[in-house]
Amino acid sequence: MNRRNGSLWALILILLMIIPAFSVPAVSQGENVIITINIKDYMLRSVPNASVSVDGSYIGTTDADGVIIVSSFTAGMHNITASAPGLTERTAEREFINGENVNVQLNRESTVSDPDIVTFIVLDSGTSQSKLAGASVYIDGVEIGKTDTKDGKVQFLVPQGIHRVKVSKNGWQDNETVMEIAPGATYTMTLATAGKFSIFNFNLFTYALGKEVTRGLLVTIQLSLVAMSIGLVIGLVMGLGRVSTNFLFRAVASIYVEGIRGLPILLQLLFVNFGLPFLISDLTGGQFNIDGFTACVIALSINSGAYMGEIFKGGIEAVHKGQMEAARSLGLSYNQSMLFIILPQAFKIVLPTLGNEFIALIKDSSIGMVISVMEVVWWSKSIGAEYYNTFTPLLAAGMVYLCITIPLGRAVQYIEKKYSVQNTRTTEKAKKKAKPIREDTA
């Protein structure tokens, strides 16, 4: 009876973890909801000071992070109108669900230019020939502007004739030349890096490192800690199920562990973010939305829970079966023996392995980039696209991960060595206390 009750409680625990995910859209339709509106540009960068209106009512402007919070509208579909200098005004229909984030992306403003405007495009002189953003262009010693982040170009109405054109960018060698400029023409100029390698820019490296540490690292750590906490609960339940004598509990745990471990984590993330809303909407007949951070947490938790289930299974089986027999002989039930005798010993055994799983989880959190979760890799990709240099931000992202994983790896090695020494000392003490067996001689 005790074993059956233990299996029943384990199944109830699993249901309690799953039910909240299905109850998210249950929001009262008659009350005002709190919505966070994120305004982004065509490069998925936050747009500060963007004007925002909802259903024709002016709400205000976004803060430095491109965010504005709305709390005066009821749940349901609403029209959001956003505008900002240099970007086209856009009206997008979004569903308001209490506590959710909604995104509105603005495209670059398309202006009808004067046919006589001259276009200057600045390229990297290296083999990549990539466009350079933020390069200053001077005509006869006067700066006419900086190249943009989309096309690497700047446009200006230059009088026809011979002019001295100079292009400069911090960290690059200046390029100055005299040329005859014709109205409406396009001219391409190149810049050579001031260092040895054109793909590496130290100033961009420090800028990317700062963004990835101050903005992306916090999200990465949050993802990893929350997913690890939930994964521990799932893994412990699945580990108990894998060694359970209850056939149903053992079968459910085995199907879960083998099924999740057999699927790529990227597929699991895409299913949670894109497939799960369709499934729940079809089952309930209502709308179901899930933000990228929550989807990433769910996918990482489910994935790590399957692997930690096997880790706990191995730890439980590593405890000598005589421990269970001794506990049962003292009058403890199966559940009591498992809780007070087996699991404490198993946890010490699997602690180093759980540390390695946490390190792997930190690295796996980078998959959030594919659904625009703004963790470390997302920032490196965004900065690389902005400055037409993907190598340098990715190198900075690698440095961030190494600064996290190497100390954690050393800590895991210390824990593993510590418990290994303790186990060795315990075994030696037990051998010394044991009395030698004397053989009678004739």
Side-chain angles (χ1 to χ4, degrees):
M1 180 64 68
N2 289 331
R3 295 181 182 177
R4 293 180 180 177
N5 289 338
S7 302
L8 179 60
W9 280 109
L11 291 175
I12 292 174
L13 180 60
I14 296 174
L15 292 175
L16 289 176
M17 290 188 298
I18 296 176
I19 288 174
F22 291 87
S23 61
V24 172
V27 179
S28 176
Q29 299 292 320
E31 300 177 356
N32 290 346
V33 295
I34 300 176
I35 300 297
T36 301
I37 301 176
N38 299 283
I39 307 299
K40 300 181 181 297
D41 65 6
Y42 53 89
M43 295 292 292
L44 296 180
R45 296 168 302 188
S46 300
V47 180
N49 299 320
S51 299
V52 180
S53 301
V54 177
D55 296 334
S57 299
Y58 177 73
I59 302 301
T61 58
T62 55
D63 59 17
D65 295 321
V67 172
I68 186 171
I69 298 177
V70 177
S71 59
S72 56
F73 293 88
T74 58
M77 303 301 295
H78 296 275
N79 291 320
I80 302 174
T81 302
S83 62
L87 300 171
T88 57
E89 181 179 300
R90 183 186 178 191
T91 299
E93 188 179 33
R94 296 288 186 267
E95 183 180 15
F96 284 10
I97 298 176
N98 191 39
E100 293 290 328
N101 295 338
V102 295
N103 298 322
V104 178
Q105 185 177 351
L106 303 180
N107 293 322
R108 184 182 178 187
E109 187 175 24
S110 57
T111 57
V112 180
S113 60
D114 191 314
D116 292 334
I117 284 182
V118 179
T119 301
F120 295 94
I121 300 176
V122 182
L123 302 178
D124 179 3
S125 63
T127 55
S128 63
Q129 290 289 301
S130 58
K131 299 173 181 177
L132 295 179
S136 299
V137 179
Y138 298 84
I139 303 294
D140 298 329
V142 179
E143 183 178 5
I144 63 171
K146 297 181 182 293
T147 54
D148 60 23
T149 58
K150 182 179 181 181
D151 302 314
K153 68 180 181 181
V154 62
Q155 295 179 315
F156 196 77
L157 189 59
V158 182
Q160 183 176 0
I162 298 176
H163 297 274
R164 182 176 296 275
V165 181
K166 176 185 174 182
V167 181
S168 66
K169 181 177 171 65
N170 190 19
W172 301 74
Q173 296 177 353
D174 293 349
N175 184 3
E176 187 172 356
T177 184
V178 177
M179 64 173 67
E180 184 175 359
I181 296 179
T186 298
Y187 300 94
T188 300
M189 299 189 68
T190 60
L191 283 178
T193 179
K196 183 177 179 181
F197 300 102
S198 62
I199 58 175
F200 179 78
N201 186 303
F202 181 76
N203 292 330
L204 181 60
F205 178 82
T206 56
Y207 171 75
L209 193 63
K211 282 286 187 180
E212 291 162 3
V213 170
T214 58
R215 307 294 288 275
L217 182 58
L218 179 61
V219 177
T220 295
I221 293 176
Q222 288 176 338
L223 281 174
S224 304
L225 290 177
V226 175
M228 185 68 180
S229 302
I230 300 175
L232 276 172
V233 177
I234 298 175
L236 180 58
V237 174
M238 294 299 106
L240 291 172
R242 293 280 276 171
V243 299
S244 175
T245 56
N246 183 286
F247 173 76
L248 178 60
F249 190 18
R250 188 172 66 254
V252 171
S254 299
I255 293 173
Y256 174 85
V257 171
E258 298 299 333
I260 295 299
R261 292 201 307 164
L263 297 175
I265 187 173
L266 179 58
L267 177 63
Q268 298 172 34
L269 176 64
L270 295 177
F271 176 81
V272 172
N273 190 68
F274 299 110
L276 189 61
F278 280 99
L279 175 63
I280 297 178
S281 297
D282 187 61
L283 293 176
T284 62
Q287 287 292 117
F288 179 84
N289 295 317
I290 185 170
D291 63 276
F293 183 88
T294 303
C296 198
V297 167
I298 293 174
L300 290 173
S301 302
I302 292 174
N303 185 268
S304 64
Y307 285 94
M308 282 191 275
E310 282 298 282
I311 292 173
F312 279 112
K313 173 179 176 290
I316 293 172
E317 291 179 341
V319 178
H320 195 278
K321 63 180 180 180
Q323 298 284 329
M324 175 64 77
E325 295 172 356
R328 296 302 300 274
S329 67
L330 293 175
L332 296 178
S333 66
Y334 176 84
N335 292 335
Q336 290 174 331
S337 302
M338 183 64 71
L339 179 62
F340 298 111
I341 305 299
I342 305 301
L343 285 181
Q345 299 180 66
F347 185 78
K348 289 183 179 180
I349 295 172
V350 303
L351 190 58
T353 311
L354 290 177
N356 288 326
E357 178 63 24
F358 180 60
I359 294 175
L361 191 59
I362 291 175
K363 294 182 289 186
D364 288 341
S365 66
S366 61
I367 65 169
M369 182 267 295
V370 302
I371 57 173
S372 298
V373 177
M374 292 186 289
E375 42 74 56
V376 173
V377 177
W378 184 91
W379 277 103
S380 69
K381 175 179 176 292
S382 177
I383 294 171
E386 179 180 355
Y387 289 93
Y388 296 98
N389 186 332
T390 55
F391 177 83
T392 301
L394 288 174
L395 186 63
M399 291 292 294
V400 173
Y401 280 110
L402 288 176
C403 289
I404 302 173
T405 56
I406 290 179
L408 286 176
R410 294 291 182 267
V412 170
Q413 291 177 1
Y414 172 77
I415 294 173
E416 187 174 5
K417 182 179 179 180
K418 179 180 178 181
Y419 281 109
S420 177
V421 171
Q422 287 181 351
N423 292 334
T424 302
R425 290 177 178 174
T426 302
T427 304
E428 290 177 352
K429 288 181 180 179
K431 288 181 179 180
K432 290 180 180 179
K433 291 181 179 180
K435 295 181 179 180
I437 301 176
R438 297 182 180 180
E439 295 182 1
D440 294 334
T441 56

